[in-house]
């Protein structure tokens, strides 16, 4: 079995998806870049039935290398992102409910929380509609995230993709995007019900919060923001 | 004890109902077709108190065969569906909250998520009002689902029925219908609160997503969609 | 220690309150009628720290009999209900979130689900505002529930009281009232967001559903509805 | 290792944050006053990876005393509050979703539940916008809470701070503020959807509820309200 440590890590991270309420049944997947390819969840397998050995190894054209299982039907998307964004080491895809509700309306999630300024440096962008299976989704993810601070994108009528230097960083972004999607949705519902608007945060304040979080927060001097290195 | 394997499986699947937030207290039930009849949850028993042995065996007229317990009060509905739809091997009934909220408004759940196109091939249809206990509900389920891609129906003012080739497939549909009922409800609330509409998916795109999912997704070449064989 | 079996049961039922999402921190309490008095949760104790021995024994004037702990500050309410409604053997009080949200608007929860017709035989009534500590709340509970099919009442700006022949029956009603409060609230939100009204159930259908559930549902011939014997 | 008992308690209380749904990933923190300083969560560490030993000891100017880990990036806020409010022995900070949604609209959470009158003695106040890292947030917390019954404040576009005589008391306030933020938000959504207003509680009734709860509730004669001693 190749890449045993990455497989163990990928298995462990997949179990965080149901634990954090991001997935239902077999939906959602995480991949890790490995030399010349990627490892990803097999298609249509429940999270309980997943094993480190079952993770499917493909090349960056999404061709399976030595596995009895079929890879996630989103593999072409993951492969496309790894080809185009060399600093990305991990990718997460979910249909987490609040983020997907935003995606169903085709809107960016506006940056109205200091926690969003910290993590995403601004709104979480919404990409256009793209069909599943080919490279359309990957192309849309790359087009939007290449010029963006945010390590997360929501895709119209579909769900969430997040990127990071590592699979763990991409998972953190996937957890946080659902968290802020929920809080901001609740804020807009409350605003509508009470007749009091959701308040904006000034762009200069967003910049200052993002810079502080990227450079000061956490235990390591290295940039803590998953998408830091893929900024143009 | 007859059909020990089916009873074990049915017991295991029933425990997924509370685990996935689909039921409260004793509500909800799953049945499996067995030769000449069905096995189903006993009436008014909590999920913790369920046992494989306690599943009640009835014929397809809902008459109890050899059990001390009374079967679910929905048994006549299950029996009716098995009589009319020979490819159905399993049925799930719940009052899961978001799907039931849609049912209280008498509306189909519109297909505005790619995950809905995948699983249901279009909207989840809402059947009319029918009283519990006799064959009215079964007749309404069969009338609506016989000509439909969806393996799930919501019933006005009542709840959800799902069908599948197996009880596990029907359970998957019950889990997914609540998942999409929630996300689509959140999307409409968000749309109302932000003044931005929920976006439709073009019918041709829905067809393409459904075909791909039915034929490509998962590990087996066989149709993965529970309702595939009951399409007319 | 008197009434060891009732204390064990009461302890076990209290643990169902947090498990079913009905309480936060130390709020909520259950009592059981015992000869000439009642047993109830001690005041301000967390659910984890509860023990069977810690349940406080009082008479029906809420005077403590032989305990080092102070009883729930709602004890006078429980005692009043037991004095006035002799068939009641158990009482539950919670601030469960959706039921309490209805109470904050002072509205009955309308009977728009077949599950509500089953369990409550109509709407869940909302009583008026009453201060905590004395007999005002108990008087309001008795005034409303004495002539009502429902074993549950919500109290304006406050929360839920449910009654039953046993503490377990009252607990079931407390679980079900939150379940229907949530689903009906979601239905009204969805109705407002989609411009499609919540549909009523005809009174004759409510009666038929209630009669069936009370007389046919479950495993025992005895009335399954907790409030059945306290109907006038 | 200094203050082993406080470290154990602080570790135990931190685990209550995810358990009560108040935090996501590494967000949220609790501190305890110790002689001449404070103990607080290290920055950017997950709740699973926390240990009693890992809690960081700082003085009341937020300078680290003898630790390899960096303290929470909110330490300056905690230190400021301890300097200004001598009766405060514990502080909790979260971005719990419903309370933060209120904060995103810049509104106080109105006191429309008897449970709020009990715990908070009135509305939960909302402070103005302040940037993270320096003393702005601490100054805003102190300015608002010094003259207030409430042990909790929400901060515009940000989240929640709660204070108490002990860390456990501050945690209770953090749990309760999210609970009431949720129920009151649900009430306003329901009011908007049904066209029935949320009902106020008369100020005299709020006072009476607060006095009763502060002086009668619970097992000890001492004031049970965390903020009782910091009232002016």
């Amino acid at each position: 079995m190749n890449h045993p440590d990455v497989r163990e890590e990928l298995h462990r991270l997949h179990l965080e998806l149901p634990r954090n309420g991001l997935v239902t049944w077999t939906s959602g997947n995480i991949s890790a870049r490995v030399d010349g390819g990627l490892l990803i969840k097999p298609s249509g397998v429940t999270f309980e039935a997943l094993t480190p050995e079952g993770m499917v190894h493909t090349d960056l054209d999404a061709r399976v290398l030595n596995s009895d299982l079929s890879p996630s039907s989103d593999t072409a998307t993951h492969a496309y992102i790894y080809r185009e964004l060399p600093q990305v080491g991990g990718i997460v895809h979910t249909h987490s409910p609040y983020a997907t509700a935003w995606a169903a309306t085709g809107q960016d999630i506006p940056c109205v929380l200091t926690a969003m300024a910290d993590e995403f440096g601004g709104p979480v962008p919404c990409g256009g509609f793209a069909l599943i299976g080919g490279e359309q989704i990957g192309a849309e993810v790359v087009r939007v995230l290449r010029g963006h601070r945010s390590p997360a994108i929501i895709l119209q009528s579909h769900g969430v993709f997040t990127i990071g230097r590592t699979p763990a960083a991409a998972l953190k972004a996937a957890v946080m995007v659902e968290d802020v999607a929920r809080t901001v949705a609740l804020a807009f519902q409350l605003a509508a019900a009470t007749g009091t608007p959701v308040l904006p945060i000034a762009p200069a304040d967003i910049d200052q919060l993002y810079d502080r979080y990227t450079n000061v927060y956490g235990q390591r001097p290295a940039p803590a923001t998953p998408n830091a290195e893929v900024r143009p």
Side-chain angles (χ1 to χ4, degrees), chain A:
Chain A
M1 186 179 70
N2 55 19
H3 308 290
D5 292 352
V6 182
R7 288 172 181 271
E8 290 285 350
E9 165 84 343
L10 211 47
H11 179 248
R12 188 182 68 76
L13 296 175
H14 271 93
L15 299 184
E16 293 290 324
L17 294 175
R19 217 180 136 204
N20 285 276
L22 304 187
V23 294
T24 300
W25 215 248
T26 66
S27 80
N29 45 70
I30 310 180
S31 69
R33 186 196 290 272
V34 291
D35 33 279
L38 60 89
L39 285 167
I40 194 166
K41 180 175 179 289
S43 183
V45 173
T46 63
F47 289 92
E48 284 167 6
L50 275 187
T51 60
E53 300 74 33
M55 299 296 164
V56 181
H57 190 183
T58 79
D59 67 16
L60 289 189
D61 290 313
R63 286 179 298 232
V64 175
L65 305 169
N66 190 20
S67 168
D68 295 336
L69 296 172
S70 305
S72 163
S73 61
D74 298 302
T75 303
T77 303
H78 290 248
Y80 187 95
I81 297 170
Y82 287 122
R83 286 208 308 276
E84 294 291 320
L85 299 177
Q87 294 87 346
V88 171
I91 299 170
V92 173
H93 173 49
T94 78
H95 301 161
S96 63
Y98 279 97
T100 302
W102 282 97
T105 67
Q107 300 175 82
D108 296 357
I109 309 175
C111 183
V112 296
L113 303 173
T114 57
M116 286 191 74
D118 286 352
E119 292 281 346
F120 301 100
V124 174
C126 184
F129 185 81
L131 284 173
I132 298 168
E135 299 200 332
Q136 284 186 46
I137 292 179
E140 186 65 9
V141 170
V142 168
R143 184 186 69 78
V144 174
L145 288 191
R146 210 195 277 275
H148 218 285
R149 284 173 177 173
S150 171
I153 182 176
I154 56 175
L155 283 173
Q156 183 184 317
S157 313
H158 183 172
V160 178
F161 277 89
T162 62
I163 58 177
R165 287 182 297 117
T166 63
L171 176 62
K172 181 190 178 185
V175 172
M176 293 310 295
V177 78
E178 179 64 8
D179 187 56
V180 300
R182 177 175 58 166
T183 300
V184 179
L186 295 175
F188 276 92
Q189 288 173 27
L190 196 51
T194 61
T196 305
V198 174
L199 300 172
I201 303 180
D205 288 337
I206 291 175
D207 288 348
Q208 197 169 332
L209 287 161
Y210 180 67
D211 288 344
R212 183 198 66 88
Y213 190 76
T214 308
N215 297 310
V216 176
Y217 186 83
Q219 299 297 333
R220 292 181 313 275
T225 305
N227 201 18
E229 283 146 282
V230 300
R231 277 181 283 166

